Amino acid sequence: MRRAYRVEAIRAAEADLMERLPGGALMQRAAAGLATVAAQILREAGGVYGSRVTLLVGVGDNGGDALYAGSFLARRGAHVDAVLVDPDRAHSRGLAALLAAGGRVVGSEVLAAADLVIDGLLGIGGKGGLRGAAAELAAAAAAASAPILAVDLPSGIDADSGEVAGPTIRADVTVTFGAFKPGLLIDPAAERAGVVEFVDIGLDALPPDPAVEALQAEDVAALLPVADRETDKYRRGVVGIACGSERYPGAGVLAFGAAVHAGTGAVRYSGPPAVRSEILHRWPEALLEGPMPDSSGRVQAWVCGSGFPADGDDENDRTWQVIESGLPAVLDAGALAYLGDGGDTRSPQLSERIVLTPHAGEAARLLGTERAEVEAHRLHSVRRLAADFGVTVLLKGTTTLIAEPGGATVRANPTGTPALATAGSGDVLAGLIGGLLAAGLRPLDAASVGAYLHGTAGRLAQRTGPVAAGDLLAALPLAWHNLTQ
């Protein structure tokens, strides 16, 4: 699992380690790791010897990391030039090391001929984007043709939140030291980091609870439900699907199809006759109920709301039946219309076993703010929703975030892809999470595993062309199979 920590926690861990190391040793470790990655990039482009490397050097420790790394590359035969934002405040020992190795201090005109640009303008304490000379250098680097390697994180992004509030570096590769930062996992900042390479510098005093975490393949595989020899279909879990409507029947079909592939023993459908008929046609194993959800049918979890019109009285009643059942449930799309301001007059007391799955617009309505605010402050928004409603919240987007009730633990899904931006994709995700809930996963894990599988299915499906929601259903078995082999 990737664990990302706030700046204050990383600085405290660095201070603890530096007390036990000789002076400058920690920066040397970081610079050596940075130079190793830089050399690999240069080798792939033709070799280190004779290559041209330009360092963009700010006034903090990131600038020192870049200068020391530049000195290592210069000793291996690279032509290394440093462009200093403020020559009087550059890291003095790093600059001396670079000059002793044959490096030069030059102007930004060298960017046009560079084979690699190393961004050491601003470190993890930067706020509000780049300004002045640093912003001008970032623009010049973007206009050049060389790949950009960021030191610890792209200069200008907010390390703690992933927010972007001004000009930034857009890196092709980022080398991060000691611990991941939330900004490397959460868009819009994460999109600017490119490929993230981790360098272990020995931080051993980090707190037990990270600010943000991201499941990796082995974590997801360990959480997938597994049927043993003694199980039967009811022990594997039964999920109820209360999705789809006369107006939007396809949502019920898609949610049902995803639940079929979620590791449960059976899937029940409750809803309009037309949707029931279509589901039975596609999945003869379907268990069909009446139009209203009924928890007496040995259901362990519900999926509700996908394909509900915002003005449907029957759909309103279906939502309340699910909420009042007290069972674990996914509330998606139309079901979210009955929560928060403007919802039903019966104020719901939501169980901690519920998962809400809003996109940014739905989240904005629930929070009483604007969509742009949610998009700009995704981490804050998902935490606030989880705290306000006391449930697990999955906030869809370029980076899907999942927060446990209260918002203390937040997970960022690493498998997102633009291929998922297609009608019905969210219906598939809701059905998948609901099936995992019924199979016994706790809400945070069900939402996290569901998002991971959903993204993986999208990546598999796009190999053969543009993706429709039905393609995700077809790709889910392979996504599951790949994790368990």
Side-chain angles (χ1 to χ4, degrees):
M1 184 181 293
R2 288 187 171 181
R3 294 176 172 86
Y5 297 87
R6 292 180 58 84
V7 169
E8 60 184 1
I10 292 172
R11 290 208 187 283
E14 289 175 341
D16 175 84
L17 183 56
M18 283 189 286
E19 288 181 359
R20 296 180 273 123
L21 292 176
L26 189 60
M27 182 172 286
Q28 292 283 346
R29 287 183 184 180
L34 177 64
T36 298
V37 176
Q40 178 62 34
I41 295 171
L42 291 168
R43 281 196 296 270
E44 292 174 355
V48 178
Y49 189 86
S51 63
R52 296 187 176 275
V53 179
T54 300
L55 314 176
L56 306 182
V57 182
V59 300
D61 286 347
N62 267 39
D65 295 333
L67 289 165
Y68 275 120
S71 73
F72 299 153
L73 294 170
R75 291 193 186 101
R76 297 180 63 176
H79 301 289
V80 183
D81 296 324
V83 181
L84 309 181
V85 171
D86 186 341
D88 295 332
R89 298 171 63 199
H91 192 279
S92 58
R93 292 182 180 178
L95 181 56
L98 175 67
L99 296 176
R104 305 181 302 167
V105 174
V106 297
S108 61
E109 66 277 358
V110 297
L111 282 166
D115 298 305
L116 177 67
V117 175
I118 297 181
D119 160 37
L121 290 172
L122 197 62
I124 58 177
K127 300 287 184 182
L130 298 175
R131 294 176 288 275
E136 292 174 4
L137 284 176
S145 59
I148 298 176
L149 173 62
V151 180
D152 213 11
L153 80 176
S155 294
I157 73 169
D158 190 295
D160 281 343
S161 68
E163 296 175 9
V164 172
T168 71
I169 286 286
R170 285 184 175 269
D172 297 284
V173 180
T174 295
V175 175
T176 198
F177 308 124
F180 286 91
K181 292 77 185 171
L184 297 176
L185 303 180
I186 301 171
D187 280 334
E191 183 267 336
R192 289 161 167 78
V195 176
V196 178
E197 299 284 353
F198 176 76
V199 171
D200 186 357
I201 57 174
L203 299 186
D204 54 11
L206 293 164
D209 298 320
V212 177
E213 57 192 25
L215 299 184
Q216 302 301 291
E218 60 271 19
D219 305 308
V220 176
L223 290 169
L224 291 175
V226 178
D228 60 36
R229 294 184 59 157
E230 301 299 321
T231 196
D232 59 37
K233 64 185 177 185
Y234 294 110
R235 289 176 183 172
R236 291 182 64 194
V238 180
V239 60
I241 306 296
C243 298
S245 61
E246 296 288 352
R247 192 180 306 177
Y248 305 114
V253 175
L254 290 167
F256 189 97
V260 167
H261 296 300
T264 55
V267 186
R268 295 182 181 274
Y269 180 75
S270 171
V275 186
R276 294 203 301 270
S277 297
E278 182 61 26
I279 286 173
L280 185 60
H281 174 71
R282 297 192 183 202
W283 291 282
E285 68 270 33
L287 304 178
L288 303 178
E289 306 291 341
M292 287 296 158
D294 181 358
S295 297
S296 65
R298 301 178 76 175
V299 170
Q300 280 75 53
W302 283 102
V303 182
C304 180
S306 307
F308 283 11
D311 57 352
D313 291 337
D314 288 346
E315 286 72 29
N316 193 1
D317 290 337
R318 290 166 75 188
T319 300
W320 284 104
Q321 290 278 4
V322 167
I323 292 173
E324 291 175 353
S325 74
L327 292 170
V330 179
L331 300 185
D332 180 48
L336 299 175
Y338 309 116
L339 305 178
D341 294 339
D344 195 277
T345 56
R346 299 169 287 183
S347 297
Q349 293 297 316
L350 299 182
S351 162
E352 286 191 350
R353 294 180 289 180
I354 282 179
V355 179
L356 306 184
T357 57
H359 56 57
E362 291 161 339
R365 190 193 64 77
L366 292 171
L367 291 171
T369 186
E370 299 297 322
R371 182 181 185 127
E373 282 295 302
V374 173
E375 293 283 21
H377 309 289
R378 296 183 56 76
L379 183 57
H380 170 75
S381 297
V382 75
R383 283 195 166 125
R384 185 180 157 198
L385 281 167
D388 287 356
F389 287 91
V391 300
T392 295
V393 177
L394 182 147
L395 179 59
K396 302 170 188 175
T398 53
T399 302
T400 290
L401 298 179
I402 305 102
E404 69 175 358
T409 298
V410 176
R411 289 176 175 168
N413 178 53
T415 64
T417 165
L420 298 173
T422 186
S425 174
D427 308 329
V428 173
L429 176 60
L432 188 54
I433 296 170
L436 293 165
L437 282 174
L441 273 65
R442 64 185 180 124
L444 178 65
D445 289 338
S448 303
V449 171
Y452 192 101
L453 285 167
H454 188 243
T456 302
R459 294 184 179 197
L460 291 170
Q462 69 182 345
R463 293 177 180 177
T464 56
V467 176
D471 300 324
L472 300 177
L473 296 183
L476 280 174
L478 181 57
W480 190 294
H481 172 81
N482 288 349
L483 284 168
T484 57
Q485 297 307 301

